[in-house]
Amino acid sequence: MSTARIFDEYYERYDSWYERHPGLAESEYLAAKKALGDYKHPCLEVGVGTGWFAHRLGCEVGVDPSIMMLSKARRRGVEAVAGRGEALPISSGRIPTVLMVVTICFVDDPLRVLMESSRVLVDGGRLVACIVPRDSEWGRHYIELGRRGHPFYRHARFYTVEELLNIAYEAGLRLEGAAATITYPPGAGERVEGPVEYTGGEGFVCLRLVKA
């Protein structure tokens, strides 16, 4: 089931998360930036949402099924296009860089989304996929919030890094590197942390994948 209706209804609450949790947001931004490295343009964010990451990271184009989220992204200067990750409205082999920030946990078919991302990438193109690992303390925290009826997390399906890598390999992508952050547990006092090498316990991980 598409989550577009939920995000259309709660798009303002979604966007306010960045203001309510500045330490987490900035840490995630720094990890995504580290994983992207010196990337090539144009950059496409799949699941662009309100464009907070795309705007800050310089991704010019974004795709999302939520019309209300796209309106926010456009106001941030992102060329936002309505569409689903399972059927990207972009020609094959056109994009050198694709970004996905906590998108996989909200899509209907993660393999199809990664296959579509691989399709639009140029040969040797890079996909950076960021997740909150299911087996991290933060993953367990968000899952519990979902059980309690949180409007977003109750619709999310979280993955481990290993599970995401297995899907990525099936989609023709290989791991080139990873950046991680948020080493403290929920409730410990949110703060900004720079990216570190992934060790298995961090609450936010960005995998840098390359189209073989």
Side-chain angles (χ1 to χ4, degrees), residues 190-206:
E190 296 177 11
R191 57 187 181 272
V192 177
E193 286 190 338
V196 297
E197 290 295 320
Y198 171 65
T199 65
E202 295 81 9
F204 186 79
V205 182
C206 293

Side-chain angles (χ1 to χ4, degrees), residues 1 17-18 39 46 63 79 86 116 142 152 156 159 169 177 193 200 203 209:
M1 180 183 70
W17 182 90
Y18 301 105
Y39 69 90
V46 177
V63 171
E79 184 182 339
E86 290 89 347
E116 274 291 277
Y142 290 138
F152 302 127
Y159 297 87
Y169 294 150
E193 286 190 338
L209 304 160

Side-chain angles (χ1 to χ4, degrees), residues 10-182:
Y10 295 105
Y11 73 100
E12 292 283 10
R13 176 173 174 175
Y14 172 93
D15 196 59
S16 71
W17 182 90
Y18 301 105
E19 296 178 359
R20 290 182 283 114
H21 301 279
L24 293 178
E26 189 68 14
S27 298
E28 292 180 0
Y29 157 74
L30 291 172
K33 182 179 180 181
K34 175 71 172 179
L36 279 169
D38 187 17
Y39 69 90
K40 296 180 180 179
H41 295 271
C43 171
L44 164 71
E45 184 175 2
V46 177
V48 69
T50 58
W52 191 87
F53 280 98
H55 168 69
R56 293 200 64 192
L57 292 167
C59 275
E60 301 93 336
V61 184
V63 171
D64 202 282
S66 168
I67 300 303
M68 299 306 294
M69 301 270 268
L70 290 174
S71 68
K72 279 274 191 181
R74 292 189 184 107
R75 288 198 289 274
R76 285 191 164 110
V78 180
E79 184 182 339
V81 180
R84 298 172 63 245
E86 290 89 347
L88 292 172
I90 297 170
S91 301
S92 300
R94 298 291 299 276
I95 305 293
T97 307
V98 172
L99 173 67
M100 289 192 289
V101 181
V102 295
T103 297
I104 287 294
C105 61
F106 290 108
V107 302
D108 295 332
D109 188 341
L111 175 58
R112 184 62 190 169
V113 170
L114 290 182
M115 289 179 66
E116 274 291 277
S117 295
S118 180
R119 178 185 65 78
V120 303
L121 280 172
V122 300
D123 290 340
R126 178 181 294 171
L127 164 66
V128 169
C130 303
I131 64 169
V132 175
R134 188 183 71 237
D135 52 354
S136 69
E137 292 188 79
W138 283 93
R140 290 188 285 270
H141 172 65
Y142 290 138
I143 290 169
E144 179 57 30
L145 290 180
R147 291 194 183 107
R148 298 177 188 175
H150 191 282
F152 302 127
Y153 302 132
R154 67 190 178 96
H155 296 284
R157 180 181 177 184
F158 293 90
Y159 297 87
T160 67
V161 169
E162 183 179 5
E163 287 170 340
L164 179 56
L165 281 175
N166 287 336
I167 300 170
Y169 294 150
E170 193 172 349
L173 300 161
R174 62 176 177 82
L175 181 66
E176 186 180 63
T181 191
I182 309 177

